[in-house]
Amino acid sequence: MKTDTENRDGKTRIGMLVFPMVTSLDVLGPFEVLARAPDCQAELVWKNREPVKGDTGLVITPDRGFDDAPQYDVIVVPGGPGQTPLMEDATVIDFLRRQGAGAELVTSVCTGSLLLAAAGLLDGRKATCHWMSIDQLALFGVQAVPERVVVDGNRITGAGVTSGLDFAFTVLATLRGEEPAKALQLMMEYDPAPPFQSGHPRVAAPELVEKVRASAREMLQRRMEVSRRVAANRGGLAR
Amino acid sequence: MKTDTENRDGKTRIGMLVFPMVTSLDVLGPFEVLARAPDCQAELVWKNREPVKGDTGLVITPDRGFDDAPQYDVIVVPGGPGQTPLMEDATVIDFLRRQGAGAELVTSVCTGSLLLAAAGLLDGRKATCHWMSIDQLALFGVQAVPERVVVDGNRITGAGVTSGLDFAFTVLATLRGEEPAKALQLMMEYDPAPPFQSGHPRVAAPELVEKVRASAREMLQRRMEVSRRVAANRGGLAR
């Protein structure tokens, strides 16, 4: 990892992780905001620059490989089905630990918070996660807070998928103040009007909540198995 | 253009236009929804399959070229700075006319409605557009309705950028009914909570509205020049 501070142009460097089977909108929603943020340089980063496919089949092309990445000022970690195996991927966990140690802001969207947790970057912190997986945060000693965006010091976490927009405007306001965030909300016409009130278990029909949870059961079980194993191994490490 | 109905697998085919300097979220927000829609096949389509760069520099890889595209059941046209030159691009306008003539739903997000209008697909219809460009719809004989999502028969148009999510759940409900749309809103945790009330001129500070409009002035002027020229030429054609 280059820290090449001599090449810095004064811009805030924002590194946004991508990976196979990422939920694309977890990262591309925030990218749309942060790539437009004044005096910021947002880029997509993965092990190498080979394109990866998100969980809808979308081809995502990384801007940068891990070996070529600078120390980022802001690190953003998205989630999705592909997050589960990465909790046991030493290259990814090592990258996140090194970045997390030097970044001004350490952030995530959706189940990205479980990756941060697996890397030991949320120990004792408040954080959020996708509503179906937020229970897994406690395995890592994280205080789960079921809100849309949770700020705890320099940790900012967003809940499921579309929360990435609310998250990104919060990150932008943290970096640059409210004025640029409000201007960009206006430019991006971010004045949402969901056609249905069904975007969270608090407001959705209970039987629909059970149906959606049931449709994800296998994925959730695999994630829980890995979270338990990783959390147990972390507990046994001298850290 | 192949219509290969004999190869149909019963899925609703959704073709989503991409192009250089597209506003990525205009198309990738709706893609995230429609690619997950039951019994649908959503894909990104452009002149050819060479990757294009959106207006934030994001690399977007088309799934399909125009020559290889089937007749889509739903056509989705996004906007962004790159929409302006396409209003005078005969290949694109011809593609949209042919698709629009056969599609069940003809739709757009952001300034994509100006492309549909330039292709003659919104004549006399109600439609919306990004708030900064919605005034240009009238040049094409379209009834501009400054709402977030406008449905007029089989035309569904969304307003600026982030409206693509509200738009996409509306399209999904139109195609498959409310239940799958509500289930997907829940899966994608679409229960937005913008950090600021600044996402539309109705709610933003008037001085901020002027500032944002001023920052886009050149782009808006270029777009207006092209819209005027295209509308004038269309008026002169026997159609």
Side-chain angles (χ1 to χ4, degrees):
Chain A
M1 185 171 63
K2 291 189 294 189
T3 53
D4 58 355
T5 47
E6 71 277 13
N7 291 332
R8 295 292 296 269
D9 50 8
K11 289 193 174 181
T12 297
R13 291 179 176 212
I14 305 174
M16 309 182 74
L17 190 70
V18 294
F19 47 83
M21 293 293 281
V22 65
T23 293
S24 311
L25 195 63
D26 283 10
V27 60
L28 298 182
F31 181 83
E32 188 79 18
V33 175
L34 297 173
R36 297 177 191 279
D39 302 318
C40 292
Q41 170 71 43
E43 58 187 28
L44 306 178
V45 61
W46 174 232
K47 290 179 180 178
N48 55 59
R49 294 178 60 187
E50 288 297 306
V52 296
K53 278 196 177 184
D55 72 342
T56 55
L58 184 73
V59 175
I60 303 173
T61 304
D63 297 301
R64 186 88 74 157
F66 285 178
D67 290 345
D68 188 38
Q71 170 65 55
Y72 291 110
D73 301 301
V74 181
I75 182 90
V76 180
V77 180
Q83 159 269 322
T84 298
L86 296 192
M87 287 194 284
E88 297 184 297
D89 184 317
T91 305
V92 171
I93 294 298
D94 184 53
F95 177 76
L96 292 179
R97 280 192 183 142
R98 286 184 291 131
Q99 288 289 340
E104 273 178 60
L105 292 181
V106 176
T107 77
S108 65
V109 176
C110 201
T111 56
S113 58
L114 291 171
L115 263 178
L116 290 182
L121 292 166
L122 291 177
D123 293 7
R125 302 282 193 142
K126 290 177 183 152
T128 189
C129 189
H130 191 287
W131 64 269
M132 283 196 287
S133 296
I134 191 169
D135 58 315
Q136 300 188 26
L137 282 173
L139 297 169
F140 297 96
V142 182
Q143 297 179 55
V145 178
E147 289 174 7
R148 195 147 174 93
V149 180
V150 171
V151 180
D152 183 350
N154 74 340
R155 266 54 173 177
I156 304 180
T157 53
V161 197
T162 57
S163 75
L165 287 170
D166 303 319
F167 156 89
F169 286 109
T170 303
V171 169
L172 173 51
T174 303
L175 291 171
R176 293 287 178 271
E178 290 194 3
E179 175 84 5
K182 287 178 176 173
L184 198 50
Q185 259 195 233
L186 182 56
M187 181 72 86
M188 292 174 60
E189 209 162 332
Y190 190 47
D191 181 33
F196 307 107
Q197 293 306 310
S198 184
H200 193 274
R202 274 189 308 272
V203 294
E207 59 275 18
L208 189 65
V209 175
E210 283 321 300
K211 194 175 160 189
V212 168
R213 203 192 289 272
S215 73
R217 184 160 292 141
E218 276 186 37
M219 183 187 67
L220 293 175
Q221 278 174 349
R222 273 196 304 276
R223 180 174 287 145
M224 181 62 93
E225 281 167 26
V226 177
S227 286
R228 285 201 171 117
R229 190 160 59 225
V230 171
N233 289 341
R234 283 182 64 229
L237 293 175
R239 297 177 63 248
Chain B
M1 186 170 66
K2 290 188 294 186
T3 53
D4 57 357
T5 45
E6 72 278 12
N7 291 333
R8 295 293 295 272
D9 50 9
K11 289 193 175 181
T12 297
R13 293 180 173 208
I14 305 174
M16 309 181 74
L17 190 69
V18 295
F19 47 84
M21 293 294 281
V22 66
T23 293
S24 310
L25 195 62
D26 284 10
V27 58
L28 299 182
F31 182 83
E32 189 78 19
V33 176
L34 297 174
R36 297 176 190 280
D39 302 318
C40 290
Q41 170 71 43
E43 58 187 25
L44 306 179
V45 61
W46 174 232
K47 289 178 181 179
N48 54 60
R49 294 178 59 186
E50 287 297 305
V52 295
K53 278 196 177 183
D55 71 342
T56 55
L58 184 74
V59 175
I60 303 172
T61 304
D63 297 302
R64 185 87 74 157
F66 285 177
D67 290 345
D68 188 39
Q71 169 66 53
Y72 291 111
D73 301 301
V74 181
I75 181 92
V76 180
V77 181
Q83 158 269 320
T84 298
L86 296 192
M87 286 193 284
E88 297 184 297
D89 184 318
T91 305
V92 171
I93 294 297
D94 184 53
F95 177 76
L96 293 179
R97 280 195 182 140
R98 284 183 291 130
Q99 288 289 340
E104 271 178 62
L105 291 180
V106 177
T107 78
S108 65
V109 177
C110 200
T111 57
S113 58
L114 291 171
L115 264 178
L116 290 183
L121 292 166
L122 292 177
D123 293 8
R125 301 283 193 142
K126 291 178 183 151
T128 189
C129 189
H130 191 287
W131 64 270
M132 284 198 286
S133 297
I134 191 168
D135 58 316
Q136 299 188 26
L137 282 173
L139 297 170
F140 298 95
V142 181
Q143 298 179 56
V145 178
E147 289 174 5
R148 197 149 171 91
V149 180
V150 172
V151 180
D152 183 350
N154 73 339
R155 267 56 174 175
I156 305 180
T157 53
V161 196
T162 57
S163 75
L165 287 170
D166 303 318
F167 156 89
F169 287 109
T170 303
V171 169
L172 172 50
T174 303
L175 291 171
R176 292 288 178 270
E178 291 194 3
E179 174 86 5
K182 288 178 176 172
L184 198 50
Q185 262 197 229
L186 182 57
M187 181 72 86
M188 292 175 60
E189 209 162 331
Y190 189 47
D191 182 34
F196 307 107
Q197 292 306 310
S198 184
H200 193 274
R202 273 190 309 270
V203 294
E207 58 274 20
L208 188 66
V209 175
E210 282 321 300
K211 192 175 160 188
V212 167
R213 203 191 289 271
S215 73
R217 185 161 293 141
E218 275 186 40
M219 183 186 68
L220 294 175
Q221 278 174 350
R222 271 197 304 277
R223 181 175 287 145
M224 181 63 92
E225 280 166 28
V226 176
S227 286
R228 285 203 172 117
R229 190 162 57 227
V230 171
N233 288 342
R234 283 182 62 227
L237 293 174
R239 295 177 65 249

